[in-house]
Amino acid sequence: MGNPLLGLVFHWLGGLSSASFYVPYKGVRKWSWEIFWLTGGIVSWLIAPWLFASLQTKDLLAVLAATPRDTLFWCWLFGALWGLGGLTFGLTMRYLGLSLGMAVALGLTTAFGTLVPPLFDGTFAEKLLSNTSGRVILAGVVVTLLGIVLVALAGKAKEAELSHEAKTAAVGEFDLRKGLAVAVFSGIMSACFAFGLAAGEPIRRLSLAHGTGVLWQGLPVLCVVLLGGLSTNLVWCGGLILKNRSAGEWLGRGGGQGAPLALNFGLCALGGLAWYLQFFFYTMGESQMGRFGFSSWTMHMASIIIFSTLWGFALKEWAAASKKTRGLVIAGIAVLVASTVVIGLGNALAA
């Protein structure tokens, strides 16, 4: 039957982990972006998922060996597509900062995570236009887009108000135009993670059949989906490392000469672990929602937006902006949170 209240706690823990993952990277010194992103990513996409799944899954390798190959392929493929979103998600934080970057990217992820599946299977009109539930969900997507417009306007106002020095004091490479373009792509591709989890339903059933507890049934799915994410990021970061000749930074050479290696590795591992834990808690929360499972994705998105906003203000990303601009970004984020509630309500009407 599950425990929806416990599931809610897990979803909010996942949101806190996701909103916090980029904070440790801000402390990395004298490492190129591709170096610290891949270092943390190896923890996120390879070490952590296999470690936790090995500890909590009964016969992990047997479960995966018994999984149909097409299931493994679709989980990996959606993970690889999500990896493109995750890759550019890091760039979004780099150009927009935590609060603005996460609000735009995650708002789009919520919208596309809702719209793409029915478009893909040809049931858009049936699911979203011909019934009250679908129309409420569609209205929620429109509200999401309104929230994105508001936070984008806040970003534009911030850019107009502040000097270059003030803008880069909190976000070192602040670039609204580039950041919004990257955020749009990231938001679209990041929605593929939800599709990867859905494709992994046969793995969950096999995991339960082998004796794994209900709470941990989704961990083997993460091993496959996140392996797809690793594939994408490894290719991209590997290309940048070859192009920029930055591999020596791992050893404190080249541009990384004098870098605090122990601190950098530790911060990257911490950031990578936090990035993984969002999905760890998500699968735990989803397992507890029972007939309220429809609300998992929206609760996850809402909690990330809220916690990332708090981080953004804590890191003084909006400290130098005017009161009017700060009010505008708060209003935009409030609309985004409200949109997830509307989408969740639409799902509830169909449940």
Side-chain angles (χ1 to χ4, degrees), residues 71-85 116 120 189-200 224-226 228-229 232:
T71 296
L72 294 174
F73 171 75
W74 285 112
C75 288
W76 175 87
L77 179 61
F78 283 127
L81 294 175
W82 163 81
L84 292 174
V116 170
F120 181 77
M189 301 309 293
S190 293
C192 289
F193 197 89
F195 313 151
L197 292 179
V224 185
V225 176
L226 291 175
T232 305

Side-chain angles (χ1 to χ4, degrees), residues 109-128:
T109 298
T110 303
F112 282 96
T114 304
L115 294 178
V116 170
L119 283 171
F120 181 77
D121 60 22
T123 59
F124 183 85
E126 175 188 342
K127 291 183 176 179
L128 294 175

Side-chain angles (χ1 to χ4, degrees), residues 226-257:
L226 291 175
L227 193 61
L230 173 64
S231 303
T232 305
N233 283 266
L234 188 61
V235 170
W236 180 262
C237 290
L240 287 178
I241 289 170
L242 291 175
K243 176 184 176 181
N244 299 329
R245 299 181 179 180
S246 51
E249 294 178 14
W250 274 312
L251 301 175
R253 298 173 182 170
Q257 188 171 3

